[in-house]
Amino acid sequence: DIVMTQSPDSLAVSLGERATINCKPSQTVLHSSNNKKYLAWYQQKPGQPPKLLISWASTRESGVPDRFSGSGSGTDFTLTISSLQAEDVAVYYCQQYLRTPLTFGGGTKVEIK
Amino acid sequence: EVQLVESGGGLVQPRGSLRLSCTASGFTFGDCAMSWVRQAPGKGLEWVGLIRSKAHGGTTEYAASAAGRFTISRDDSKSIAYLQMNSLKTDDTAVYYCARRSTLLEDFFDYWGQGTLVTVSS
């Protein structure tokens, strides 16, 4: 199984400042046949289901603000919120979809400082 | 508008059974693979299993924690996916979400239901 390790578990950032969340798969999620990175990011606000933010490590879903960006290699990924807004308070999860079992990171809780 | 609505959750005793339903609308259900993902109280997300579309064999896959106890099925005529859970344990207590596989035919999830709570307790 591909184990997804997220860090930090939580972080507090001032409004307008940058938030950076890390995700490290235990093995590469880069598919050798198409050079695509099989990694997604989700946002989950309290009492709500997760919402897809980013797929293929860096492709934002339609309607997701451009302050959210994803980057990374096969085994080291980052979700960046460039200028934190109050509505971004949530838990963020990474997920690999290279192979089953599909696995999620443990989540990173983002709060306002 | 795509909608996924889970139902069937509730309180069940250990070793009991429960069947969850996920009723879909707003898209061609039969064309899509569906997954179940659960979230224990205060914890993270755990994939339970998936069922592929009939065009892709209608096959199922499960997490190790679900294999042998849980069964996913689908009724495309009713646009419903099911999760049959047997031999339930207290560790199965969670909110269970159904989620649609992306239309790019890769196993990330572009739509989620609101979830249904399953509590396993005596």
Side-chain angles (χ1 to χ4, degrees), chain A residues 59-111:
Chain A
T59 302
R60 261 191 316 274
E61 288 299 294
S62 174
V64 174
D66 61 7
R67 64 180 179 272
F68 291 92
S69 64
S71 63
S73 64
T75 55
D76 207 344
F77 295 92
T78 299
L79 175 69
T80 300
I81 309 172
S82 61
S83 176
L84 191 74
Q85 304 300 303
E87 61 265 32
D88 301 334
V89 168
V91 179
Y92 294 84
Y93 295 93
C94 58
Q95 180 227 332
Q96 67 80 20
Y97 49 97
L98 179 65
R99 62 174 63 94
T100 55
L102 307 175
T103 47
F104 292 89
T108 296
K109 186 175 185 178
V110 174
E111 299 172 306

Side-chain angles (χ1 to χ4, degrees), chain A residues 38 40 42 44 47-52 55-56 61 93 95 97 100-102 104-106, chain B residues 35 37 39 43-47 50 52 61 63 97 104 106-110 112-114:
Chain A
Y38 282 55
Y42 300 87
Q44 186 178 32
Q48 296 185 18
K51 173 189 174 184
L52 177 65
S55 58
W56 305 115
E61 288 299 294
Y93 295 93
Q95 180 227 332
Y97 49 97
T100 55
L102 307 175
F104 292 89
Chain B
S35 270
V37 177
Q39 187 169 37
K43 302 297 184 183
L45 302 170
E46 179 188 15
W47 176 74
L50 64 81
R52 297 183 177 87
E61 291 196 49
Y97 297 101
L104 297 178
E106 300 291 351
D107 287 315
F108 59 91
F109 310 116
D110 58 0
W112 297 65
Q114 289 295 315

Side-chain angles (χ1 to χ4, degrees), chain B residues 62-118:
Chain B
Y62 300 94
S65 59
R69 298 188 302 128
F70 293 3
T71 302
I72 300 174
S73 60
R74 63 191 299 154
D75 184 337
D76 291 348
S77 69
K78 296 180 180 179
S79 297
I80 300 177
Y82 299 101
L83 176 63
Q84 176 68 45
M85 303 185 292
N86 299 329
S87 303
L88 283 161
K89 309 173 185 179
T90 55
D91 286 351
D92 296 318
T93 294
V95 173
Y96 285 74
Y97 297 101
C98 67
R100 188 184 83 164
R101 186 197 212 195
S102 84
T103 53
L104 297 178
L105 302 183
E106 300 291 351
D107 287 315
F108 59 91
F109 310 116
D110 58 0
Y111 285 94
W112 297 65
Q114 289 295 315
T116 187
L117 176 62
V118 172

